[in-house]
Amino acid sequence: MKMAIGYHSAENGAYALDGNSTNIVKQDYVTAIALDPQINETPQYGSGKLLGKFKKDNGYTGNIGVTAQDPMLEESIGRTMSLTTGVGTVGGAASKRLAGYYYEFKEETADKKTQQVKVWLLNVEIGASSINHATDKESLEFGEYSYPITVYGVPLQKEDKSEYLDENGVGRQCFMVTCRPGDNGYNDFGKAVPVPTVAAPKTSQTT
């Protein structure tokens, strides 16, 4: 992977509903993706001193910014319902999980080349959008819309589809899969939510 000197753009958003990893629904006019890692540290004390801090990685929280509310997504997550007159925004629906959320961004490399990077966020909970309308002044004032998300991730697995365990016998959670030009599966990366699979270690052949 080449060293990156900058990132820009957020585009080609799409999502797959939970249980439909190959049924990809486009989300047009994405403006921003913001992700904050949720890593909790718990201090452990003994003999009157700090022995260490133990970390727990809980994935990401963040927001998906769009130019306007997404009617299909709003209906899919149970936020809106068609009524005899108009469309109702309703409450009471449980938070909806997506199998994955997909987007792309551009990366500027140290050798001054621009490449398109593709990303899947895995096992994503998405909530109702925030809404901001403002009156027009000297120029148009466009509204702002943002969907809150939590990225829970899925367990890493081995090529035989069993759970991957590290050298300490502990499973690992994968929250995001990123694919760059030259990586395996790059061309078709956005067509289905990937299953994060760890390649089997190569064995040396003896003669």
Side-chain angles (χ1 to χ4, degrees):
M1 184 177 70
K2 296 182 178 68
M3 177 66 184
I5 60 173
Y7 308 104
H8 59 95
S9 182
E11 54 195 66
N12 299 329
Y15 59 90
L17 293 176
D18 191 21
N20 294 279
S21 61
T22 59
N23 184 15
I24 309 303
V25 182
K26 289 185 178 180
Q27 187 178 40
D28 294 325
Y29 312 125
V30 172
T31 60
I33 307 289
L35 297 170
D36 296 312
Q38 300 301 303
I39 300 176
N40 295 331
E41 290 187 344
T42 302
Q44 176 69 304
Y45 293 86
S47 301
K49 61 183 179 181
L50 177 63
L51 302 177
K53 292 183 178 179
F54 298 86
K55 295 181 180 180
K56 181 173 176 55
D57 195 334
N58 294 306
Y60 291 88
T61 59
N63 294 279
I64 299 168
V66 292
T67 59
Q69 284 176 288
D70 185 328
M72 267 181 114
L73 178 60
E74 296 274 335
E75 187 173 350
S76 295
I77 65 176
R79 184 62 176 168
T80 62
M81 295 177 63
S82 295
L83 305 177
T84 55
T85 301
V87 176
T89 300
V90 300
S95 296
K96 190 75 174 180
R97 290 284 180 98
L98 306 177
Y101 187 87
Y102 175 84
Y103 68 98
E104 299 177 4
F105 65 89
K106 287 181 170 59
E107 180 178 77
E108 303 295 330
T109 64
D111 54 2
K112 298 183 179 179
K113 292 181 179 179
T114 302
Q115 60 184 16
Q116 194 81 354
V117 181
K118 303 178 179 182
V119 181
W120 272 106
L121 306 176
L122 305 178
N123 190 12
V124 179
E125 185 176 86
I126 187 163
S129 68
S130 62
I131 303 171
N132 179 15
H133 295 155
T135 189
D136 289 343
K137 299 176 184 176
E138 294 182 5
S139 59
L140 295 178
E141 296 285 337
F142 288 105
E144 296 179 1
Y145 305 86
S146 180
Y147 289 94
I149 60 172
T150 301
V151 183
Y152 292 97
V154 297
L156 284 174
Q157 71 174 34
K158 297 189 294 186
E159 290 182 304
D160 63 3
K161 300 189 184 304
S162 63
E163 184 181 3
Y164 168 81
L165 302 177
D166 65 17
E167 64 275 10
N168 297 311
V170 177
R172 305 288 292 277
Q173 198 82 345
C174 181
F175 305 107
M176 178 190 311
V177 182
T178 305
C179 198
R180 290 175 168 82
D183 289 344
N184 289 334
Y186 176 82
N187 291 338
D188 295 328
F189 188 69
K191 294 181 178 180
V193 180
V195 177
T197 304
V198 178
K202 295 180 179 180
T203 57
S204 57
Q205 295 182 346
T206 57
T207 56

